[in-house]
Amino acid sequence: ASTRPRNVPPGWELPPRVGRVPAAAAAADASGEVSDGSSSKLAEDVVIFERWDEVAGESSSSARVVEHFRNDESKSDRIMDDLFDAVANTLCWEQEYATNKSPSLLRECPWKDISTIAWSFATRGHFGSESTEYLIAAAVKEASRRLDAAPRGAAAARNNGGRGNSRGSQSGRPNNRNDRTSRFIPRDVSQLAWSVGVLQCDNYRLGDSLVELVGAISRRWIGLGVDKHWDAAQRPFENWQTADLVQLAVALSHGRIDDVGLLSEIYHEAFHIILMGDKAENVKGGSFRQNNGRHRRWQSWELSIMLWVQANLYLTSKQGSVFGVFSEAVPRTLLRRVQRQIDNGNEIASVDSIGIGAQEQANLAWSLTVLQEHFSEESKDLLRSIFRSASSSYRSGSFIRLENAHQLWQSYFLLEEECPDVVADVNKSFRDYLERTWNAEKSRQKISSARHRSLSQTLDLMGVAHYNEHHEDIDVAIILKTESSWTHTAERGDHEESHHKVAVEFDGPKHFTRMSNEKPRALGHTVLKYRILKKQGWAVVRVPYYEFDKIPFWASMERQRYLQRLLKTHDDIRFSEVDRSEYTPLVPSRQTRFD
């Protein structure tokens, strides 16, 4: 897995793309001159993709070498995939799995081996075979069984000589040192959770396994019912390293799992580590140590990941005060590290010098914008530094990942109105480059989902003119050319003449969290998209899947009634001489006969 890792990130359809500004434009920007080339030609040349024929050049012999390498790579990939399937089949016999028990080989595996096996499949990106599904499901079942069987609370304290808060109790180490399968450390659990979270991004059938594992982790460290917080003085994750917290948080983000109790404890511990780091820095000579004798310190890039997880799951102070406190502490901590380098003589210190690379910078800018935590002075200073670093890379003509450019553009687009002083120093050519890459991404060919097509067909039945897969990834666009109170008067035509623009967004399951005790919460990327659309003058109407899917596909009149109330399409709809539907506004938390 380490020698042949996956080249496509979890949940992505394509590998990361790389682009750069043309050399002529970069030189013109550096000299302050304005290119006289046509804008259309510049737009065509903005993005440069990595291609095999670029590596091969024009030489036919080079082309043959590249083609031979392609064939060898394809053959080696097939051999590697066969090897992984053989391992899965050996570890997980189908007849044993059918008995609802863990296969015998897995039952004998130590914790470290189980987590390493899952990590190997995730790192390789081997997720599609039936044997892989069996193996991961069986590994999760065995891990959950061990977590539930491990002592906790008062029992864990007794097993460790009354030290309920010791490393042994948190690591699940029993008195019997010969029981290899029962011993575990937090890294084993977090690595397994991360692996399953990565695999289920590409194979939805593994989603239930992640839910099962997260439930076992929550029961083990958080507790339920009378066991919840069995010791008020204990922090459940105080023995977890920062890398362990990051892996568990990323797993929850990949799975869109909204376990607020578990997430709150993770971020409580994350904020505690920040506070302890501040104390350690303030103690002269750096002699400060935490109570357990270990000093944990966040890496700068780890903080960017934790903030990205929070933004992706859209965890704000509404879900718990700790989320607001943590998002405020991250910019302050990073700026303090930059200032410390300056004080130590590095006059050109920046976010780059503290380990914040291009990916982390884009994540930070995107996350602070999603969470709307960009109004504090610390956040503004951090964002200025990020855009300054990105802009300098642009001027040098270096490569930039297009996904990073898209994140920076979304942040810039909102900041130029909400916090104009933050992006005031961004040069116009860099801004235009970000906008061009974003527009190129949004103009790509799109394929409508089955739910989207059903929504469009219902609007056709209602006589509502609309556009499918409109600009900015709008699912259904309704353009009203005249002042009107009803959307069925919409017409197709020039958008410049329109008075009202309505964006109808069908939000499927991947737009929301899951495992929530309340109504699913929209994810950060969805919330940000709606903010961008509203700034562009669109009125956004959301059609959540958990409302639309309740209406059977054969109940076309009920779907028309639903959209009539949601979009205010008609004063009344006549289905027959006796069957009509009069407009009434939708009532929040309404119940229908399909509930």
Side-chain angles (χ1 to χ4, degrees):
S2 299
T3 58
R4 304 289 293 182
R6 61 190 300 160
N7 61 351
V8 179
W12 290 28
E13 296 179 357
L14 298 171
R17 296 165 295 168
V18 179
R20 71 177 175 186
V21 66
D29 181 69
S31 62
E33 300 177 358
V34 179
S35 172
D36 58 357
S38 66
S39 60
S40 60
K41 178 68 169 120
L42 182 62
E44 293 175 356
D45 292 342
V46 163
V47 179
I48 301 175
F49 294 96
E50 296 179 346
R51 296 170 55 106
W52 279 108
D53 50 6
E54 292 178 1
V55 179
E58 299 179 356
S59 169
S60 59
S61 61
S62 298
R64 288 194 296 271
V65 170
V66 171
E67 186 64 27
H68 178 70
F69 181 79
R70 279 176 169 170
N71 294 334
D72 285 349
E73 181 182 37
S74 178
K75 181 179 179 181
S76 63
D77 284 342
R78 288 194 298 269
I79 294 175
M80 185 72 72
D81 290 339
D82 290 342
L83 174 61
F84 272 76
D85 283 336
V87 170
N89 289 329
T90 302
L91 290 172
C92 185
W93 298 103
E94 291 188 31
Q95 59 268 28
E96 289 187 302
Y97 184 77
T99 62
N100 202 32
K101 294 182 179 179
S102 301
S104 57
L105 283 178
L106 280 179
R107 288 197 299 270
E108 297 173 359
C109 282
W111 263 97
K112 182 179 180 181
D113 291 352
I114 292 179
S115 62
T116 300
I117 291 169
W119 177 88
S120 300
F121 276 78
T123 302
R124 169 60 188 163
H126 191 81
F127 53 81
S129 66
E130 187 176 10
S131 56
T132 299
E133 294 177 17
Y134 283 158
L135 173 62
I136 298 303
V140 168
K141 189 180 296 296
E142 175 63 18
S144 300
R145 181 192 67 80
R146 295 183 186 183
L147 287 175
D148 288 336
R152 63 178 181 270
R158 288 192 298 270
N159 287 343
N160 290 275
R163 300 184 302 276
N165 208 26
S166 69
R167 184 174 179 82
S169 66
Q170 289 295 315
S171 302
R173 303 188 184 204
N175 289 332
N176 183 6
R177 296 292 180 179
N178 295 324
D179 189 0
R180 299 185 307 130
T181 63
S182 298
R183 302 175 189 173
F184 65 90
I185 59 175
R187 180 63 51 85
D188 299 330
V189 179
S190 65
Q191 184 169 281
L192 178 60
W194 176 87
S195 303
V196 181
V198 167
L199 289 167
Q200 62 87 44
C201 287
D202 301 294
N203 188 340
Y204 71 93
R205 288 184 291 272
L206 294 173
D208 290 341
S209 295
L210 179 61
V211 171
E212 180 182 358
L213 180 60
V214 170
I217 293 173
S218 185
R219 291 191 299 271
R220 172 67 181 82
W221 273 274
I222 310 301
L224 295 174
V226 295
D227 290 333
K228 185 172 179 59
H229 295 299
W230 59 272
D231 183 355
Q234 180 185 10
R235 302 191 317 274
F237 296 108
E238 68 171 326
N239 290 309
W240 285 49
Q241 297 297 316
T242 56
D244 304 331
L245 295 173
V246 168
Q247 284 190 318
L248 182 56
V250 169
L252 294 172
S253 177
H254 281 325
R256 313 187 319 276
I257 295 180
D258 188 25
D259 189 334
V260 176
L262 180 59
L263 286 162
S264 296
E265 294 293 356
I266 292 174
Y267 278 87
H268 270 296
E269 190 63 32
F271 181 62
H272 176 81
I273 296 174
I274 291 179
L275 292 180
M276 292 300 102
D278 293 343
K279 289 184 178 180
E281 294 168 5
N282 294 331
V283 173
K284 186 175 181 180
S287 59
F288 176 83
R289 288 292 182 270
Q290 299 181 37
N291 292 335
N292 55 16
R294 295 178 297 109
H295 176 52
R296 295 175 296 170
R297 182 180 184 273
W298 284 109
Q299 298 294 325
S300 298
W301 61 269
E302 290 177 328
L303 286 174
S304 72
I305 294 177
M306 293 296 290
L307 194 64
W308 173 83
V309 168
Q310 182 181 345
N312 188 49
L313 293 174
Y314 200 57
L315 296 165
T316 65
S317 55
K318 293 182 180 180
Q319 284 71 49
S321 59
V322 66
F323 300 114
V325 172
F326 181 81
S327 58
E328 293 174 358
V330 170
R332 184 170 59 250
T333 301
L334 296 178
L335 287 176
R336 186 182 295 115
R337 293 181 179 181
V338 174
Q339 184 60 45
R340 192 181 308 118
Q341 289 204 356
I342 296 176
D343 295 340
N344 291 335
N346 184 4
E347 297 180 356
I348 60 173
S350 64
V351 289
D352 302 85
S353 60
I354 62 171
I356 299 293
Q359 177 68 70
E360 290 78 21
Q361 292 175 30
N363 282 344
L364 284 169
W366 183 85
S367 301
L368 290 172
T369 307
V370 168
L371 297 170
Q372 300 188 59
E373 293 288 351
H374 51 273
F375 297 104
S376 68
E377 289 304 318
E378 293 87 353
S379 295
K380 290 181 179 179
D381 289 341
L382 180 61
L383 287 167
R384 287 192 193 97
S385 181
I386 288 173
F387 279 100
R388 189 182 305 118
S389 174
S391 182
S392 63
S393 299
Y394 165 83
R395 285 195 296 269
S396 67
S398 60
F399 285 99
I400 180 174
R401 279 182 55 173
L402 297 188
E403 291 77 18
N404 298 350
H406 299 158
Q407 288 178 300
L408 290 173
W409 169 250
Q410 292 177 81
S411 178
Y412 180 95
F413 185 72
L414 294 175
L415 289 174
E416 65 178 350
E417 178 178 303
E418 298 175 3
C419 295
D421 57 313
V422 171
V423 294
D425 296 334
V426 176
N427 60 73
K428 184 178 183 301
S429 56
F430 181 55
R431 179 204 179 279
D432 294 342
Y433 169 72
L434 294 179
E435 184 177 17
R436 288 195 299 270
T437 58
W438 176 258
N439 291 336
E441 172 68 15
K442 294 299 142 181
S443 62
R444 72 191 189 284
Q445 185 177 3
K446 310 174 187 70
I447 301 177
S448 299
S449 65
R451 290 185 174 98
H452 178 187
R453 292 194 296 271
S454 177
L455 175 65
S456 178
Q457 292 166 2
T458 304
L459 289 174
D460 285 337
L461 288 175
M462 301 170 71
V464 179
H466 59 279
Y467 299 86
N468 285 313
E469 302 295 355
H470 198 58
H471 302 306
E472 290 292 335
D473 276 348
I474 297 174
D475 293 338
V476 174
I478 300 176
I479 309 297
L480 302 179
K481 294 186 64 177
T482 58
E483 295 290 348
S484 175
S485 300
W486 305 98
T487 53
H488 77 276
T489 60
E491 302 176 12
R492 294 179 181 271
D494 186 0
H495 297 180
E496 298 298 327
E497 302 175 6
S498 64
H499 295 278
H500 300 295
K501 298 189 298 182
V502 182
V504 183
E505 287 291 304
F506 193 101
D507 292 337
K510 290 188 177 180
H511 289 267
F512 296 95
T513 58
R514 59 177 176 172
M515 274 188 69
S516 175
N517 295 327
E518 303 176 355
K519 184 171 65 174
R521 184 176 64 258
L523 296 175
H525 66 83
T526 301
V527 174
L528 186 64
K529 177 182 178 180
Y530 295 158
R531 286 172 57 195
I532 291 175
L533 290 177
K534 288 178 181 178
K535 184 187 173 185
Q536 294 174 337
W538 291 88
V540 181
V541 180
R542 301 166 61 182
V543 183
Y545 77 97
Y546 52 82
E547 291 183 355
F548 194 76
D549 286 2
K550 288 189 299 187
I551 307 174
F553 70 92
W554 43 262
S556 61
M557 290 190 296
E558 289 299 330
R559 289 191 170 182
Q560 292 182 57
R561 288 190 178 99
Y562 171 74
L563 292 180
Q564 175 196 19
R565 289 160 171 75
L566 186 67
L567 300 176
K568 197 179 180 182
T569 59
H570 303 75
D571 182 21
D572 69 279
I573 301 177
R574 294 181 179 273
F575 300 109
S576 67
E577 294 184 1
V578 296
D579 193 355
R580 59 181 294 186
S581 174
E582 295 184 353
Y583 171 78
T584 56
L586 285 175
V587 178
S589 303
R590 59 199 171 277
Q591 295 289 319
T592 70
R593 62 194 180 105
F594 298 110
D595 286 313

